Amino acid sequence: MQSFFIVAILGLGFLITFQIAKASEYVAVLRGIEKARKQTNKVNAFMLLAFLVIGLIGVFYCNERLKGKILGEAASDHGVLIDRMLYITIALTGIVFFITQIALFWFAFKYQESDKRKAYYYPHNNKLELIWTVIPAIALTILVGFGLFYWFKITGREPKDAMIVEVTGKQFGWEFRYPGKDGVLGKKYYRNIAPDKNNSLGQIWEDPYNHDDIWVEQEMHLVVNRPVKLIIGSKDVIHDVGLAHFRMKMDAVPGTPTTMWFTPKFTTKQMIEKTGKANFTYELSCDQMCGKGHYSMRGVVIVETQEEFDAWLAGKKPQYLVANPDEDPAAVKKDTTIGSVPGGTAKPQMKMSN
Ligand SMILES: [Cu+2]
């Protein structure tokens, strides 16, 4: 029904435009074509100037209205650079925008048809062509150069003291993995994915590097002023790790890990004070349309001090022990005290096959 109305309205609009054009044609014939054309030109010239003035007022008004509603200060060191790049781009393109738009509409008004002058025929000028090709080319090369420089920095090698977090997108949510004490993420294999067996990422339990990996959902913890490298992947379709407060984003592609690193500048608590919003949270959004639940892929990022982070991580059990409770030294120890395990070994027994 809705689409019928849209088609009907479009048809009606077309009909009205057609009729107006036809009517003005008749008027032109009645009044004399020349006189009518001159009058139309005058009206057009005035309307173009009015469009310029109203348009510029609109630009100013929108800017004033939305000033305080943007994200605020960037919360990562790379974010500061990205913001600077955007402001330089906006300043440069803004200057060009105002010069070209004012010239365009002002010329249309100033040089409207007049009996007092004749149009000057000026078909070509090599020097002018060169100037307005070379200057924008240089300006754009510099802007693209900035972008490439930051891109290589963000996706390049992380500092030595960086922590590593693996981020995996899925329809519809986020999973995070921390490498544990050994600092290395264990290997995965997609055929091992079995959420019902506490192995949502498909970790290979035979790989000892997996034995201390911590797995969490929906909430990523980071340390303030400590670089973090995200190793990003997906279990199904393409998602995108969007960290607007940090001005970071990167596609999560199944089968092809992507990376980026940055350093959070403020803890969540500091941001609550800075913004004056008691419910402030750093948000992780999916920035890629990935299906009907796309809107619900909201993850939370908590930035805290190293001590708070260590305390949080210490409270988490490695996923290996969640999936293989028999290997849990705590459980074995408990059993030993009641004397049910012969030999009373408190060491975890690692299953190492092929
Ligand atoms: Cu998504």
Side-chain angles (χ1 to χ4, degrees):
M1 199 61 187
Q2 204 181 2
S3 37
F4 169 76
F5 275 119
I6 290 170
V7 172
I9 288 166
L10 282 176
L12 217 64
F14 176 76
L15 210 72
I16 290 167
T17 319
F18 183 73
Q19 290 298 338
I20 289 174
K22 221 165 151 191
S24 42
E25 215 173 283
Y26 289 140
V27 171
V29 171
L30 286 174
R31 273 203 202 150
I33 289 173
E34 174 127 359
K35 202 174 160 201
R37 194 196 66 231
K38 277 182 181 165
Q39 205 173 5
T40 314
N41 273 348
K42 231 177 220 155
V43 172
N44 279 348
F46 176 75
M47 272 166 56
L48 284 166
L49 197 67
F51 184 81
L52 170 72
V53 174
I54 293 167
L56 288 179
I57 291 171
V59 168
F60 182 75
Y61 176 73
C62 282
N63 202 40
E64 282 298 301
R65 273 303 290 270
L66 301 173
K67 226 176 203 171
K69 296 203 165 71
I70 52 174
L71 277 167
E73 192 182 343
S76 78
D77 54 352
H78 286 165
V80 174
L81 299 179
I82 298 273
D83 273 359
R84 190 181 305 155
M85 180 177 76
L86 281 178
Y87 285 130
I88 292 172
T89 308
I90 289 174
L92 266 175
T93 52
I95 291 167
V96 175
F97 171 82
F98 282 109
I99 292 174
T100 52
Q101 297 310 299
I102 290 170
L104 176 69
F105 292 108
W106 174 248
F107 269 59
F109 176 76
K110 178 102 187 2
Y111 298 106
Q112 59 181 282
E113 181 182 15
S114 163
D115 291 332
K116 287 173 200 149
R117 62 169 176 259
K118 232 182 146 188
Y120 175 59
Y121 183 65
Y122 191 69
H124 192 74
N125 183 323
N126 274 338
K127 206 169 160 189
L128 265 181
E129 294 275 353
L130 206 70
I131 288 170
W132 67 47
T133 308
V134 169
I135 290 178
I138 292 172
L140 286 174
T141 308
I142 291 171
L143 289 182
V144 172
F146 259 120
L148 278 178
F149 178 74
Y150 291 146
W151 171 261
F152 288 130
K153 200 171 158 64
I154 290 163
T155 57
R157 177 154 294 181
E158 73 282 7
K160 281 206 180 86
D161 62 330
M163 58 187 273
I164 286 173
V165 184
E166 183 190 68
V167 184
T168 306
K170 65 172 179 200
Q171 284 173 324
F172 295 96
W174 299 102
E175 296 177 30
F176 307 100
R177 188 157 63 122
Y178 291 81
K181 281 200 186 86
D182 59 18
V184 181
L185 290 162
K187 288 200 177 79
K188 297 183 297 181
Y189 184 45
Y190 75 98
R191 279 180 187 273
N192 286 11
I193 292 174
D196 53 325
K197 289 181 187 158
N198 288 311
N199 193 358
S200 185
L201 291 172
Q203 285 170 268
I204 302 171
W205 297 134
E206 285 75 25
D207 179 5
Y209 286 126
N210 265 319
H211 292 178
D212 61 350
D213 288 5
I214 309 281
W215 173 84
V216 281
E217 271 187 299
Q218 295 307 106
E219 202 177 89
M220 173 163 66
H221 285 239
L222 301 177
V223 177
V224 70
N225 292 326
R226 180 158 174 212
V228 55
K229 180 187 189 174
L230 301 184
I231 299 173
I232 299 159
S234 165
K235 291 207 292 192
D236 35 51
V237 299
I238 297 178
H239 301 274
D240 188 290
V241 176
L243 298 165
H245 297 103
F246 304 103
R247 313 290 194 266
M248 294 276 121
K249 83 191 276 297
M250 181 63 73
D251 272 2
V253 187
T256 307
T258 50
T259 66
M260 64 177 174
W261 73 268
F262 60 96
T263 311
K265 278 175 68 185
F266 311 113
T267 61
T268 302
K269 278 177 198 151
Q270 282 172 321
M271 283 302 272
I272 289 172
E273 276 167 31
K274 264 179 167 312
T275 57
K277 288 176 190 157
N279 61 350
F280 174 87
T281 38
Y282 285 119
E283 225 171 77
L284 194 179
S285 59
C286 180
D287 286 1
Q288 188 76 259
M289 271 299 290
C290 58
K292 64 180 176 183
H294 165 69
Y295 68 92
S296 64
M297 282 186 72
R298 179 181 182 267
V300 169
V301 182
I302 291 165
V303 181
E304 54 203 354
T305 60
Q306 184 72 52
E307 296 77 48
E308 286 168 327
F309 175 80
D310 291 342
W312 169 78
L313 201 66
K316 298 278 167 205
K317 205 182 230 185
Q319 197 58 20
Y320 171 70
L321 298 180
V322 177
N324 307 284
D326 299 348
E327 308 288 349
D328 193 342
V332 173
K333 218 175 196 175
K334 216 168 142 197
D335 285 352
T336 325
T337 53
I338 55 166
S340 65
V341 176
T345 168
K347 261 198 161 182
Q349 281 162 15
M350 310 296 188
K351 270 184 202 153
M352 292 293 292
S353 59
N354 56 19

